[in-house]
Amino acid sequence: MVACFLLLASIPFTSIAQDIDLLLKGGHLIDPKNKIDEVMDVAIANRAIYKVGKNIPESEAKQVIDISGLYVTPGLVDMHVHVFHGTEPLSYIADGATSLPPDGFTFRAGVTTVVDAGSAGWRNFRLFKQQTIDRSQTRVLAFLNIVGTGMFGRFEEQDVSDMNPTMTAHMINRLFPELLVGIKSAHYWGDFTQVDLAVEAGKLAEVPVMVDFGEHQPPNSIEDLFMKHLRPGDIFTHTYSYGPANRETVVDEALQVKPFVFEAQKRGIIFDVGHGGGAFSFRQAIPALEQGFLPDVISSDLHKDSMNGAFKDMANLLSKFLTMGMSLYDVVERSTWRPSQVISRPDLGHLSEGAEADVAVFRLREGTFGFQDIRKTKIDGTHKLEAELTLRAGRVVWDLNGLSAVPWKTELEGQ
């Protein structure tokens, strides 16, 4: 009996439980919320972050993926998209063909959460929820349009009688507070009426307002917008758009950032990229970055036209900002933790222990790459991010090169 005991004691102990479902081993972790920018392992169990640390033993994991030489980040949070995809023939974005089904355009770029930017209003949000949100693996949140019918068409977006702060706030507070994170004002041809009604709704619902302030002829004052109409925490999107006949720019014709823009950012106005198909110009972005005016949030304005144009996807957009001089840490922060703070969702955009395991793994490729703006001008760069692996709630939803797979002959070994 003693001999048997000694024999068992001499056998190396291994964890039978193997509490870790998946271990991402050896990647360079960038997690701005937790101020991490170094090589760290990430362990996942029960769809959540189980542990982050150095040299987590492989023996504790059911599956190990070697990601040495790659970058690990929280799943990207794209704060400005249009995903109310549908077949309404007369509609532009609300239940229309210009919006995109999210799962086809998110995971492949490292995105795990999107925020629809006002495609739906209070009249049609329930259709959007049933048709898109409830059927998507991507986490879909939304800004509710101040116009009841949302972005059905430009003429409908001018209907002041359909801009109802009370109904908009009720939809947010009473029906869908877990999904609706703000209010959108966009495409209005008049004065500040639409913005003011959106802000009124924002006060009632206690959520931020995102403003697309284009399409005014002559342009309305963005200084008045920032200093007199918006509140700290409200969002100005399409920050680097150049269309001076319709929208006042943040950079003047002498390529200088207007002084009140810095003051507005200090006041707490949030500046969002919202690249889109027609709202990003290097003649605005490059001088702004050179003068220290950086965006608070990097977002896509994803829709059918932008993804086939200069934007392409979020990995490409982050690479564009790397090429313009921002650090990798800064672009990750502005596409993960910062947007999560703006929409008051502190559960997102980080890899803290216990958080839902939304994770992106990127390769930073070296070579010669070209990045375009919407005016068909370009800059050349030497680095480009490429999403290798994306996990949504701990499950692999995108694997570019089979990092999580085993060799095909493995399935023959048990036969």
Side-chain angles (χ1 to χ4, degrees), residues 36-224:
I36 299 174
D37 186 7
E38 60 181 312
V39 174
M40 300 278 269
D41 298 338
V42 178
I44 296 164
N46 298 318
R47 307 183 73 178
I49 302 299
Y50 178 76
K51 185 178 181 181
V52 174
K54 291 182 176 293
N55 302 315
I56 298 174
E58 295 186 17
S59 59
E60 296 181 6
K62 299 170 187 174
Q63 182 182 7
V64 178
I65 302 179
D66 182 2
I67 54 170
S68 302
L70 305 180
Y71 288 89
V72 188
T73 76
L76 302 187
V77 179
D78 189 350
M79 200 181 73
H80 186 151
V81 304
H82 293 286
V83 293
F84 188 2
H85 180 70
T87 58
E88 169 56 54
L90 299 178
S91 179
Y92 169 47
I93 284 178
D95 193 24
T98 301
S99 289
L100 294 171
D103 290 349
F105 303 91
T106 50
F107 302 141
R108 62 183 53 241
V111 176
T112 53
T113 298
V114 296
V115 186
D116 186 275
S119 301
W122 71 267
R123 295 185 187 277
N124 52 7
F125 177 75
R126 277 172 278 208
L127 175 63
F128 176 35
K129 179 180 182 296
Q130 179 185 45
Q131 193 164 283
T132 300
I133 297 175
D134 294 346
R135 299 185 177 190
S136 299
Q137 286 183 280
T138 308
R139 181 187 293 102
V140 181
L141 307 173
F143 289 91
L144 193 64
N145 204 303
I146 188 59
V147 180
T149 55
M151 293 184 181
F152 188 86
R154 287 296 196 267
F155 288 104
E156 289 77 9
E157 289 174 288
Q158 313 312 310
D159 186 359
V160 176
S161 68
D162 197 29
M163 302 175 193
N164 190 321
T166 300
M167 294 301 289
T168 300
H170 284 346
M171 180 67 74
I172 296 171
N173 288 339
R174 298 187 180 185
L175 296 179
F176 303 107
E178 75 285 0
L179 296 175
L180 295 171
V181 298
I183 294 161
K184 180 73 178 291
S185 165
H187 308 151
Y188 189 58
W189 300 338
D191 53 14
F192 289 87
T193 298
Q194 189 193 69
V195 169
D196 291 340
L197 289 169
V199 170
E200 182 182 342
K203 291 176 180 178
L204 291 172
E206 299 183 325
V207 295
V209 171
M210 175 185 281
V211 177
D212 173 351
F213 206 53
E215 305 191 17
H216 302 103
Q217 294 182 345
N220 289 333
S221 166
I222 58 172
E223 183 174 13
D224 284 351

Side-chain angles (χ1 to χ4, degrees), residues 195-196 199 209-211 224-232 234-236 267 269:
V195 169
D196 291 340
V199 170
V209 171
M210 175 185 281
V211 177
D224 284 351
L225 176 70
F226 301 154
M227 301 305 188
K228 297 179 181 179
H229 294 269
L230 297 183
R231 306 159 295 166
D234 287 335
I235 305 151
F236 179 70
R267 180 174 176 257
I269 301 301

Side-chain angles (χ1 to χ4, degrees), residues 1 3 42 87 162 173 244 248 257 273 283-284 294 327 329 380 415:
M1 180 66 74
V42 178
T87 58
D162 197 29
N173 288 339
E248 184 184 356
V257 178
V273 171
R283 67 182 291 166
Q284 289 287 302
L294 276 61
S327 70
Y329 187 95
D380 293 322
Q415 296 181 3

